[in-house]
Amino acid sequence: MIDAYEDPGTPDVRGGWRYLWWLVRCQPGRSVAGALLGSSWMVLLAATPYLMAKAIDEGLEPGDWAALAGWSFALFAVGSFNAWLSIMRHRTMTRVRMDANFRTVKVVVGQAVRLGAALSRRTGAGEVVTIGVGDVQTIAGALTVVGPGVGACVAYLTVAAVLVSVSPVLAAVVLLGIPAIVVLVGPFLSRLQGTETEYRNRQGVLTARIADLAGGLRVLNGLGGKGLVADAFHRDSQRLRAQGYRVGAVTSWVQALGVGLPTLFLAVVTWLAARLAAEGDITVGELVAVYGYVAVLVGPVAFWVECGYQLSRGVVAARRVVRFLRLEPLEDRGTRDAPAEPSVLHDPESGVSILPGRLTALACARPADPATVLDRLARYTPSRATWAGVPLDEIRLPQIREHILLADHEADLFAGNLRDVVAPHGGAAGHEEQAAALHAAVADDIVQGLPDGLDSAIDAQARNLSGGQRQRIRLVRALLADPEVLLAVEPTSALDAHTEALVAKRLREAREGRTTAVTTTSPLVLDHADTVLYLVDGKLAATGTHQQLLTEEPGYRALVARDVEVAK
């Protein structure tokens, strides 16, 4: 089975079927073993009626008790060996499925890491969650065809060959009847793929809504929008339920035909064999054998239908994984080095310039506008932004990430102890640097309030902390990274006035002489900025200090006084 730290390989993303075949090719020995064990197991199932026929014709009917005992012992030995084969087959196929499961998880997680900041811009959280909780298991289940699926084909051909020696008529009926059953079930499998695809798509939408609800329930409740979102969620869940019923309807037909048609076929062949036995064309033992052969064939046919069902669902799931694996991160065509000294960042689209070594604040009535400007200046979206007059797109992306840090106020916080959460590069920062960053972000009280200080456990997204505490922890992490250029989006929006004033003062002191830009409309933060850039509709409208803009710009004055309607 794939090791947790082993390279999963390069997946084949040319289509769902090719991805499933890649999973098989990644474990050739185990796949071949599963096919051999499955084939041997099913063929030996067919040996049971053959041995029973011999016991009847050569032992029971002529009264030869020695022959009867010999064939009975052979029947017991074959049954015991086949039971062991069944155990090994099941164990091998479990490993095949688990390898496919873990390998898919690794390539999906690796792709998420590769996409990095582009992940949220390329796909929704619901899509990734749906892949993780549903599609991975479905893909693994589809690999059942490797063992029992191949074994069913081998058993079918073997039984057909044996029946030729008993009765060519019966062999012809079996050879033609079983494919006819598969053909009858085929259209339902095709329909299942369509309904399953639609179901998975709706499931992704609903999962995204759940994620949005979990992240913004408090805000929605405060704004009175909880009811509207709940209604939308109810409608989406009803649509998903209706689509689930459609999937269930097709699935029930597939499963019913998979069991019912082989049983009906068994009855037809048994009736025909009984007629042949009554007419003396076959012996009583051969009649029992024919019944056993056909009864054994019910298993392979059921496996074929089950494998078709699993493959139909597996291909749908694999296509979703392939779509995700085809996503590309931010394109990097840069060939030039970053500026050797602090330089101006300029965004021509908005007219914003971030001067080196200064604390710059961007204020706008719509918080998304200055955040978009910072996205362009940090090269998270294509733009004509420049750094020291050089287009950002021409500078190597790793160097931009090394020198420019975009600190979002809703950035992810991973589970772990607080020391690992705030310290970049695996905790490379020393004790003094951590203490200084905690002080600058006014986060000392957070550490003091936790039972084990910096060694205290933090939940995923720091859910065991308040909103203001999470925001300060994010700021601590950004300060510890100590970038040449820090671009912070609303770093104090969840803080009370007293804490916000302290953060603004200490942030200026901690970043003295280094380039820092923040988006905010808080006068407590704006008053500490060297330069305030006032934006209207995403464009630079005025530049100056906080006090100058209060005096000269009515729109800015209305904005910081929280009179947003006038500011617009």
Side-chain angles (χ1 to χ4, degrees):
M1 205 178 312
I2 184 171
D3 184 81
Y5 301 100
E6 181 184 339
D7 181 9
T10 303
D12 192 334
V13 296
R14 290 176 292 177
W17 287 106
R18 290 183 180 272
Y19 180 81
L20 293 177
W21 178 238
W22 172 75
L23 290 175
V24 174
R25 288 188 289 110
C26 284
Q27 39 182 338
R30 196 179 294 120
S31 299
V32 170
L36 290 175
L37 289 169
S39 300
S40 301
W41 171 64
M42 285 201 173
V43 168
L44 286 180
L45 286 177
T48 300
Y50 173 81
L51 294 174
M52 289 182 64
K54 288 294 184 179
I56 293 172
D57 288 342
E58 298 180 11
L60 183 62
E61 190 171 354
D64 188 341
W65 300 109
L68 179 61
W71 287 114
S72 298
F73 178 77
L75 189 62
F76 172 78
V78 169
S80 300
F81 179 68
N82 213 25
W84 178 81
L85 279 180
S86 178
I87 294 172
M88 299 307 296
R89 173 197 62 83
H90 181 75
R91 182 178 299 176
T92 302
M93 289 312 304
T94 298
R95 287 175 175 162
V96 169
R97 289 189 291 267
M98 291 181 69
D99 184 280
N101 187 318
F102 295 151
R103 199 174 296 273
T104 300
V105 168
K106 290 198 70 173
V107 297
V108 169
V109 172
Q111 172 70 348
V113 173
R114 174 172 170 263
L115 291 172
L119 176 61
S120 59
R121 295 171 171 83
R122 296 285 191 269
T123 188
E127 180 74 8
V128 181
V129 172
T130 302
I131 290 174
V133 301
D135 292 334
V136 170
Q137 295 287 345
T138 303
I139 289 171
L143 264 66
T144 300
V145 70
V146 172
V150 173
C153 294
V154 174
Y156 168 70
L157 295 174
T158 301
V159 170
V162 171
L163 281 175
V164 170
S165 63
V166 176
S167 170
V169 175
L170 291 175
V173 171
V174 170
L175 285 172
L176 296 176
I178 300 297
I181 293 175
V182 176
V183 169
L184 288 174
V185 178
F188 290 94
L189 296 178
S190 299
R191 184 179 175 188
L192 178 63
Q193 280 195 35
T195 55
E196 184 77 18
T197 300
E198 178 65 21
Y199 178 80
R200 290 292 184 184
N201 291 336
R202 291 188 181 276
Q203 190 177 39
V205 171
L206 193 63
T207 305
R209 285 198 182 275
I210 293 174
D212 293 340
L213 271 173
L217 189 57
R218 291 183 179 179
V219 177
L220 288 169
N221 196 30
L223 296 175
K226 185 172 67 173
L228 293 174
V229 176
D231 290 341
F233 180 83
H234 177 73
R235 288 193 298 271
D236 286 340
S237 63
Q238 293 301 313
R239 294 191 189 101
L240 179 65
R241 184 183 67 175
Q243 186 64 26
Y245 285 153
R246 283 190 281 272
V247 173
V250 179
T251 302
S252 64
W253 273 104
V254 171
Q255 294 178 344
L257 291 175
V259 176
L261 288 178
T263 304
L264 180 62
F265 178 71
L266 173 62
V268 171
V269 174
T270 303
W271 177 83
L272 181 59
R275 291 293 302 269
L276 292 174
E279 294 171 359
D281 293 332
I282 61 175
T283 66
V284 175
E286 288 175 333
L287 171 63
V288 173
V290 168
Y291 177 83
Y293 293 147
V294 179
V296 167
L297 281 181
V298 173
V301 174
F303 270 119
W304 278 343
V305 175
E306 177 66 19
C307 287
Y309 170 68
Q310 294 288 356
L311 279 175
S312 297
R313 300 180 71 236
V315 169
V316 172
R319 286 170 182 165
R320 292 172 64 90
V321 171
V322 164
R323 281 201 303 269
F324 179 72
L325 296 179
R326 284 175 178 171
L327 299 177
E328 291 296 327
L330 297 172
E331 189 176 14
D332 182 17
R333 296 181 178 177
T335 57
R336 304 178 64 172
D337 293 329
E341 58 185 21
S343 304
V344 176
L345 273 170
H346 178 64
D347 176 37
E349 188 171 337
S350 63
V352 167
S353 291
I354 307 297
L355 302 181
R358 298 174 66 86
L359 174 59
T360 304
L362 284 70
C364 184
R366 294 185 302 195
D369 289 345
T372 302
V373 173
L374 295 192
D375 270 352
R376 293 196 291 264
L377 293 175
R379 196 178 153 186
Y380 281 108
T381 55
S383 70
R384 295 180 291 112
T386 62
W387 192 13
V390 178
L392 281 175
D393 289 342
E394 296 182 8
I395 301 175
R396 293 183 178 90
L397 188 59
Q399 293 195 18
I400 293 177
R401 295 290 177 262
E402 180 181 350
H403 294 281
I404 301 176
L405 172 63
L406 178 63
D408 195 294
H409 67 301
E410 294 182 346
D412 290 325
L413 293 171
F414 297 101
N417 64 59
L418 183 58
R419 190 185 308 277
D420 292 336
V421 170
V422 301
H425 313 302
H431 177 74
E432 292 183 1
E433 290 86 352
Q434 290 183 4
L438 288 166
H439 177 73
V442 196
D444 311 76
D445 62 311
I446 301 175
V447 178
Q448 294 167 4
L450 293 172
D452 299 315
L454 284 171
D455 295 318
S456 300
I458 300 298
D459 296 342
Q461 301 298 349
R463 292 190 181 93
N464 54 333
L465 301 179
S466 68
Q469 289 175 326
R470 288 195 291 269
Q471 195 165 49
R472 283 180 282 164
I473 290 300
R474 291 185 179 101
L475 183 57
V476 171
R477 184 171 62 181
L479 293 172
L480 279 174
D482 195 26
E484 178 185 329
V485 180
L486 173 60
L487 308 177
V489 178
E490 299 285 350
T492 62
S493 59
L495 306 183
D496 60 78
H498 174 70
T499 305
E500 188 176 30
L502 284 176
V503 169
K505 178 177 178 295
R506 294 178 184 179
L507 176 62
R508 179 185 175 86
E509 296 171 351
R511 295 286 300 173
E512 185 70 32
R514 314 209 74 180
T515 306
T516 307
V518 299
T519 69
T520 183
T521 56
S522 169
L524 297 172
V525 179
L526 293 167
D527 194 39
H528 286 85
D530 296 311
T531 304
V532 177
L533 306 179
Y534 173 49
L535 280 66
V536 175
D537 294 331
K539 307 293 183 182
L540 182 63
T543 303
T545 65
H546 174 57
Q547 295 301 326
Q548 288 174 337
L549 293 177
L550 281 177
T551 303
E552 301 170 2
E553 287 292 329
Y556 176 81
R557 184 167 58 250
L559 173 64
V560 298
R562 301 298 193 263
D563 191 355
V564 180
E565 292 300 324
V566 177
K568 290 181 179 178

